[in-house]
Amino acid sequence: MKLKLGIIYGILIWLTTYILSTFIKPIVLDNFPYINIIIPISIIIATGFFGILYIRNINENEVIEGFKVGILFILIDIILDLTIFIIPRNSNILINDYPIHVISMVILVLIITTLLGYLAQMKIELK
């Protein structure tokens, strides 16, 4: 596992999720009734992008590597949430309903990174 690269991408995923949710929130809240879809969409976009960047440099055991980096991304997200929002009691859309955020983040990140690892090990020939 490329730990340093995984940590950098994990921090970038957290930062991108925060920035995307901050920009998407006014658009969704002004035009639709509030639905808890802002954060999952942000997580999917950020994890998909940085997961692809991480997995494309791995040449063996891509599925296991995808699962491991998914766990690393989850740990980084939780640590950054705790240190920046929860412990200092800063209000943010990310932590309005924190247990739901953690559950959805864990499910989405593990599915995305493991699936990216699975797809990376496939030999695809386009004709």
Side-chain angles (χ1 to χ4, degrees):
M1 173 179 224
K2 298 179 180 181
L3 190 61
K4 186 176 180 181
L5 186 64
I7 291 172
I8 291 169
Y9 284 160
I11 292 170
L12 288 173
I13 287 171
W14 182 86
L15 188 63
T16 306
T17 301
Y18 171 71
I19 291 170
L20 283 174
S21 64
T22 302
F23 287 128
I24 294 173
K25 179 184 175 186
I27 296 168
V28 172
L29 291 181
D30 291 343
N31 297 323
F32 301 108
Y34 179 71
I35 49 176
N36 195 8
I37 198 161
I38 298 168
I39 302 300
I41 288 174
S42 300
I43 290 172
I44 291 168
I45 292 169
T47 305
F49 179 74
F50 290 108
I52 289 170
L53 291 178
Y54 180 84
I55 290 292
R56 72 179 181 178
N57 295 323
I58 306 299
N59 294 325
E60 55 185 42
N61 295 329
E62 291 94 345
V63 176
I64 295 169
E65 193 70 28
F67 185 77
K68 285 183 195 177
V69 81
I71 299 286
L72 181 64
F73 291 166
I74 291 166
L75 291 174
I76 290 169
D77 185 89
I78 292 172
I79 290 168
L80 289 173
D81 284 346
L82 286 172
T83 58
I84 295 177
F85 297 121
I86 295 176
I87 293 174
R89 297 181 190 245
N90 294 332
S91 180
N92 187 324
I93 188 173
L94 288 172
I95 60 163
N96 286 343
D97 194 7
Y98 193 68
I100 297 297
H101 167 70
V102 170
I103 292 169
S104 66
M105 188 252 321
V106 166
I107 292 170
L108 289 172
V109 169
L110 285 179
I111 288 173
I112 290 170
T113 56
T114 306
L115 182 62
L116 286 173
Y118 174 73
L119 293 173
Q121 77 178 2
M122 295 176 66
K123 302 289 183 203
I124 300 173
E125 293 182 30
L126 299 175
K127 293 183 180 184

